[in-house]
Amino acid sequence: MEQDHGVQSRSHSRPTAVSIYDIARRANVSPSTVSRALENHPRIGAETRKRIQELAREMDYVPNAVARSLIANRTWTIGMVLATIADPFMGRVVEGVEHVAIEAGFNVFVSTSQNDPQREIAVMKMLKQRRVDGIIVIASHLFDQYPRLFYRSKTPVIVINEQKPPSDAMHFVSVDDIREAYRAVEHLLKLGHSRIGYIGVTNRPKSNQHRLQGYREALQAASIPIDPALIIVPEETQDHMRIGEISLEPLLTAGATAVFCYNDAVAIGLLSACSKRGLAVPEDLSIIGFDDIDIAAYTVPPLTTVRQPRFQLGQRAMLMLLAILDGQEPENEIVPGELVIRQTTARPASDQARRQAHIPLRPVDVR
Amino acid sequence: MEQDHGVQSRSHSRPTAVSIYDIARRANVSPSTVSRALENHPRIGAETRKRIQELAREMDYVPNAVARSLIANRTWTIGMVLATIADPFMGRVVEGVEHVAIEAGFNVFVSTSQNDPQREIAVMKMLKQRRVDGIIVIASHLFDQYPRLFYRSKTPVIVINEQKPPSDAMHFVSVDDIREAYRAVEHLLKLGHSRIGYIGVTNRPKSNQHRLQGYREALQAASIPIDPALIIVPEETQDHMRIGEISLEPLLTAGATAVFCYNDAVAIGLLSACSKRGLAVPEDLSIIGFDDIDIAAYTVPPLTTVRQPRFQLGQRAMLMLLAILDGQEPENEIVPGELVIRQTTARPASDQARRQAHIPLRPVDVR
DNA sequence: ATACTGTGTGCAAACGATTGCGCATATCGG
DNA sequence: CCGATATGCGCAATCGTTTGCACACAGTAT
């Protein structure tokens, strides 16, 4: 077996910074006095304290957090692991985490797995070697393996947006993908659609599966049979917008009048394809997304979507972490989403036509 | 003076992990033997080595990187400081940095300043306390103060997208905002526009100023006087898309037929406002953005913009850092952008009308 | 004078690993 | 059989801090 150290590399030594020894020498005191003076220990004379603090500033002393972490057996650091920083979903979640972390005196460092399970393992390993006090993971690719990998781990791990914890040892905070997807499709059904499509992705297998399940359950509840031709999950690309774009044609040939997209990025790609093809949204096709990323309010037309409380997800995750670090055993949490109805969903065209035909006397609403 | 430690907090001790001492005890050897066995030192007997490595695995030994960093005087870590992780510009840059960092055996940790100069200082301080081997900063808010703050710092700092280094001690890799902005506006001029607007932002003062300067220079080169009414820099919000949205009206009253936007987010907001107001793009208004974020190819219509080579920016920055860590003195770099012409720019309507009027015999191109 | 109580400071151990050096023991050539 | 070389492992110092304890000295009460 080869022990994997992960954070090693051959190279030459760096210039060494000024330490409390250097200060002690110049001040003619012992290092311990310097240490105490710098943190305002009461038993240090006011005179000495002042002299040392001034010296420290003059000499550009920067306390060495790694030495401190070694002795304290903690790093006041929490690591975040994202699939990619480029996902517009992540931004507010990280802000939520940082918001409470800073308050509590922790620093957060984010790393990415680049959507690669191997790298996710490597990153988790690295964070443990660096002795972060806790880890928050979003959109994991190997959650199922966590019990095996981290069962005996002392580093607490919180997972955001994972639905079914395979083990009690894991903690999570999530929105309920199945339920929120259900409500999105339900909205389409209420508008009168019955030919509703789903566009899914392959690089988020778990949540894709759950949102698809919510879609199915909603249709079944409305006694509409599932038509496989209406479920599109392109395999040839990881790019969500591209996925939306290339899914339009198959959806059209399957006769869809409305589409529930895995997320807003997919919806944006679909929107773009509609425009290029001369299809009017929502008149010719209703579209609903998921996430409510910032840009969703500024698409043309503005996107109807399911909002995930992203900031809150981050906040709650960090709060759970703090609780664990405090020796408590927090409950897992499901936070509710919210249907944000903007302008990409409407009654199906056939339905509108029917209504017009049945009420010929009432003046047509041009809006 | 109060010495600021920054990475401290009161709290109780964490469970201590297994160390090489624990392994040594169980294996009846000395800690040094364990250390050498784990890193496959040749002078350790094959028998002993194997026994120790198996024990280490059994006992879930995770090497302590902080102890290692202490003795090695390096952390194999580089810190990245972003204004916010939510900016779609950042994603590929971080990927570029990570790509070469991983190759070189470094881990990268990203932190955010939340667009707050105070926090940016705090983050830089924290990174130095943690003894990262280098720092890469994007969209700094206090670059001008860096010489004062970091002049005597031993931690190398690379700044991405800062134009004028106030000191030789700083390193940077950038695209030339002035030149790229010039070319964007030039494109508009070549199409026949003369009433060209600019929409700027306040939370990126330096680059905003430079892009505005490029705009000015392009107009001057075309002998078109600068009209202040065409330069909109809303102060009431930090949200770039919102800025684009609220800038449409003043631009219209100023008689603009084309707009150069600070970045793609602004352009997207403007696009949205046009749609709501019933304005056709590019027929009624030409729009050009900056950055070429992923979504720019999927707006309605697809956005003409100036591409920044984001991945490359990150790559080059990390390569410069490696060079410095290797004792070299790298040159600063300016990497070229690229005008990406999509479908939000066209000849001005008046111009089109004139052409049609002058060539009445040729059939009108309906496209 | 003695015994106390504060003050102000230093000693030395610890945190978990790495590493130069030295000490055994085994092996080998002559 | 002796010196030389190779092999296998341990001792102890080191990295930069923190911190329990002891010590020295001053002032005060007895």
Side-chain angles (χ1 to χ4, degrees):
Chain A
M1 162 198 166
E2 210 197 324
Q3 190 71 24
D4 178 4
H5 289 158
V7 290
Q8 191 86 316
S9 161
R10 60 265 148 241
S11 198
H12 44 144
S13 69
R14 316 270 327 112
T16 153
V18 0
S19 74
I20 59 171
Y21 276 81
D22 304 325
I23 301 179
R25 209 171 305 125
R26 292 252 309 245
N28 275 322
V29 294
S30 75
S32 33
T33 300
V34 174
S35 173
R36 285 191 256 250
L38 291 179
E39 55 178 28
N40 291 319
H41 187 105
R43 295 276 291 268
I44 297 294
E47 185 64 25
T48 323
R49 184 203 332 268
K50 195 175 158 221
R51 190 163 47 98
I52 291 178
Q53 292 185 347
E54 269 167 10
L55 251 178
R57 153 179 311 199
E58 265 177 39
M59 298 173 71
D60 274 325
Y61 171 68
V62 178
N64 187 324
V66 358
R68 226 179 234 169
S69 295
L70 181 59
I71 184 173
N73 196 27
R74 54 204 323 258
T75 54
W76 302 280
T77 280
I78 82 110
M80 277 190 83
V81 184
L82 316 182
T84 164
I85 230 173
D87 188 333
F89 174 82
M90 308 294 180
R92 298 273 309 153
V93 181
V94 174
E95 285 175 20
V97 171
E98 282 192 327
H99 185 77
V100 357
I102 289 170
E103 202 72 19
F106 284 80
N107 288 112
V108 3
F109 287 120
V110 354
S111 309
T112 72
S113 67
Q114 316 279 22
N115 259 321
D116 173 359
Q118 289 310 310
R119 251 197 76 59
E120 184 172 339
I121 293 183
V123 167
M124 295 292 292
K125 219 164 172 172
M126 179 269 288
L127 290 174
K128 295 173 70 174
Q129 295 187 176
R130 297 201 185 282
R131 297 296 193 266
V132 297
D133 295 327
I135 301 179
I136 296 179
V137 184
I138 316 185
S140 165
H141 277 268
L142 35 90
F143 192 60
D144 292 335
Q145 306 175 47
Y146 272 24
R148 185 169 63 72
L149 292 172
F150 300 109
Y151 181 63
R152 292 196 283 177
S153 167
K154 293 114 170 47
T155 314
V157 178
I158 312 280
V159 185
I160 292 182
N161 272 359
E162 197 67 40
Q163 314 292 316
K164 305 239 173 74
S167 139
D168 300 334
M170 305 299 303
H171 297 85
F172 68 89
V173 39
S174 309
V175 321
D176 184 337
D177 273 332
I178 299 179
R179 191 162 63 99
E180 303 301 338
Y182 185 102
R183 299 204 311 174
V185 175
E186 191 181 41
H187 170 238
L188 261 15
L189 288 165
K190 279 185 187 157
L191 285 173
H193 293 276
S194 55
R195 299 294 296 168
I196 302 176
Y198 173 75
I199 307 179
V201 303
T202 56
N203 62 346
R204 298 278 193 286
K206 297 295 279 307
S207 52
N208 179 69
Q209 185 187 322
H210 288 120
R211 291 176 197 177
L212 182 52
Q213 185 179 338
Y215 162 88
R216 286 207 170 96
E217 289 179 5
L219 291 185
Q220 281 162 359
S223 304
I224 297 179
I226 308 292
D227 180 353
L230 284 170
I231 299 175
I232 319 280
V233 185
E235 308 234 334
E236 61 261 47
T237 176
Q238 306 262 80
D239 178 341
H240 288 179
M241 290 183 292
R242 176 94 185 114
I243 285 174
E245 184 176 42
I246 63 182
S247 298
L248 177 58
E249 285 307 327
L251 239 22
L252 253 27
T253 67
T257 63
V259 186
F260 168 49
C261 299
Y262 170 79
N263 68 8
D264 292 346
V266 171
I268 286 168
L270 182 60
L271 225 36
S272 167
C274 286
S275 160
K276 282 176 190 156
R277 204 182 185 284
L279 278 184
V281 176
E283 292 79 4
D284 298 329
L285 190 69
S286 280
I287 298 177
I288 188 165
F290 206 103
D291 285 354
D292 193 28
I293 59 179
D294 294 340
I295 216 170
Y298 292 94
T299 57
V300 175
L303 187 65
T304 296
T305 187
V306 175
R307 172 176 301 158
Q308 296 207 53
R310 299 182 281 143
F311 189 85
Q312 197 189 138
L313 280 170
Q315 262 184 321
R316 308 305 300 175
M318 188 64 210
L319 286 172
M320 285 178 65
L321 207 45
L322 289 177
I324 295 174
L325 291 176
D326 194 42
Q328 304 169 36
E329 180 57 37
E331 295 286 318
N332 293 329
E333 294 187 36
I334 302 287
V335 300
E338 181 188 353
L339 185 62
V340 181
I341 300 178
R342 285 195 271 251
Q343 299 168 33
T344 54
T345 48
R347 313 188 73 83
S350 56
D351 188 51
Q352 290 175 350
R354 199 178 326 120
R355 293 181 78 203
Q356 289 181 1
H358 287 178
I359 321 172
L361 296 182
R362 188 204 282 184
V364 176
D365 188 348
V366 282
R367 245 183 308 153
Chain B
M1 160 196 163
E2 209 194 325
Q3 191 71 25
D4 178 4
H5 289 158
V7 290
Q8 192 88 315
S9 161
R10 61 264 146 245
S11 198
H12 45 145
S13 69
R14 316 271 325 115
T16 154
V18 0
S19 74
I20 60 170
Y21 279 81
D22 303 325
I23 301 178
R25 210 170 306 125
R26 292 252 308 243
N28 275 324
V29 294
S30 74
S32 34
T33 300
V34 174
S35 174
R36 284 190 256 252
L38 291 180
E39 57 177 27
N40 291 319
H41 188 103
R43 295 277 291 272
I44 297 295
E47 185 63 25
T48 322
R49 182 201 333 266
K50 194 174 158 219
R51 188 163 49 95
I52 291 178
Q53 292 186 345
E54 270 167 9
L55 250 177
R57 153 178 311 199
E58 264 177 39
M59 299 173 70
D60 274 324
Y61 170 68
V62 178
N64 186 324
V66 358
R68 230 181 229 166
S69 295
L70 181 58
I71 184 173
N73 195 26
R74 54 205 322 260
T75 54
W76 302 281
T77 280
I78 82 109
M80 278 190 83
V81 184
L82 315 182
T84 163
I85 231 174
D87 188 334
F89 174 82
M90 307 293 181
R92 298 273 309 154
V93 182
V94 174
E95 285 175 20
V97 171
E98 283 193 326
H99 185 79
V100 357
I102 290 170
E103 203 72 21
F106 284 80
N107 287 114
V108 5
F109 287 120
V110 354
S111 308
T112 72
S113 67
Q114 315 280 22
N115 259 322
D116 173 359
Q118 290 310 309
R119 250 197 77 60
E120 184 171 339
I121 292 183
V123 167
M124 295 291 292
K125 217 164 174 176
M126 180 270 288
L127 290 174
K128 295 172 70 174
Q129 295 186 175
R130 297 201 184 280
R131 296 295 193 267
V132 297
D133 296 326
I135 301 179
I136 296 178
V137 183
I138 316 184
S140 165
H141 278 267
L142 35 89
F143 191 59
D144 293 335
Q145 305 176 47
Y146 272 24
R148 184 169 63 72
L149 292 172
F150 300 110
Y151 182 63
R152 294 196 282 178
S153 165
K154 291 111 169 52
T155 315
V157 178
I158 313 279
V159 186
I160 292 181
N161 272 1
E162 197 67 38
Q163 314 293 316
K164 307 241 172 74
S167 140
D168 301 335
M170 306 299 303
H171 297 86
F172 68 88
V173 39
S174 308
V175 321
D176 184 338
D177 273 333
I178 300 179
R179 191 162 64 99
E180 303 301 338
Y182 185 103
R183 300 204 311 175
V185 175
E186 191 181 42
H187 171 239
L188 261 15
L189 289 165
K190 278 185 188 157
L191 285 173
H193 293 276
S194 56
R195 299 295 297 167
I196 301 176
Y198 174 74
I199 307 179
V201 302
T202 55
N203 62 346
R204 297 277 192 287
K206 297 295 282 304
S207 52
N208 180 69
Q209 185 187 322
H210 288 120
R211 291 177 197 176
L212 181 53
Q213 186 179 339
Y215 161 89
R216 285 207 170 95
E217 290 180 5
L219 291 185
Q220 281 162 358
S223 304
I224 296 180
I226 308 292
D227 180 353
L230 284 169
I231 298 175
I232 319 283
V233 186
E235 308 235 332
E236 60 262 49
T237 175
Q238 307 262 78
D239 178 341
H240 289 179
M241 290 184 290
R242 176 94 186 114
I243 285 174
E245 184 177 42
I246 63 182
S247 299
L248 177 59
E249 285 307 326
L251 238 22
L252 252 29
T253 67
T257 63
V259 185
F260 169 47
C261 299
Y262 170 79
N263 68 8
D264 292 345
V266 172
I268 286 169
L270 182 60
L271 225 35
S272 168
C274 286
S275 159
K276 282 176 190 157
R277 204 183 185 285
L279 278 184
V281 176
E283 293 78 4
D284 297 327
L285 189 68
S286 281
I287 297 177
I288 187 164
F290 205 103
D291 285 354
D292 193 28
I293 59 179
D294 294 340
I295 215 170
Y298 291 94
T299 56
V300 175
L303 187 65
T304 296
T305 187
V306 175
R307 171 176 303 158
Q308 296 207 54
R310 299 182 283 144
F311 189 85
Q312 199 189 136
L313 281 171
Q315 261 185 322
R316 308 305 299 175
M318 188 63 210
L319 286 172
M320 285 178 65
L321 206 45
L322 289 178
I324 295 174
L325 291 176
D326 194 43
Q328 304 168 38
E329 182 56 38
E331 295 287 318
N332 292 328
E333 294 186 36
I334 302 286
V335 300
E338 181 190 354
L339 185 62
V340 180
I341 300 178
R342 285 197 271 251
Q343 299 168 34
T344 53
T345 49
R347 313 188 72 83
S350 56
D351 189 51
Q352 290 175 350
R354 198 178 326 121
R355 292 181 79 205
Q356 288 181 3
H358 287 178
I359 321 171
L361 297 182
R362 191 202 279 184
V364 176
D365 189 348
V366 282
R367 246 183 308 151

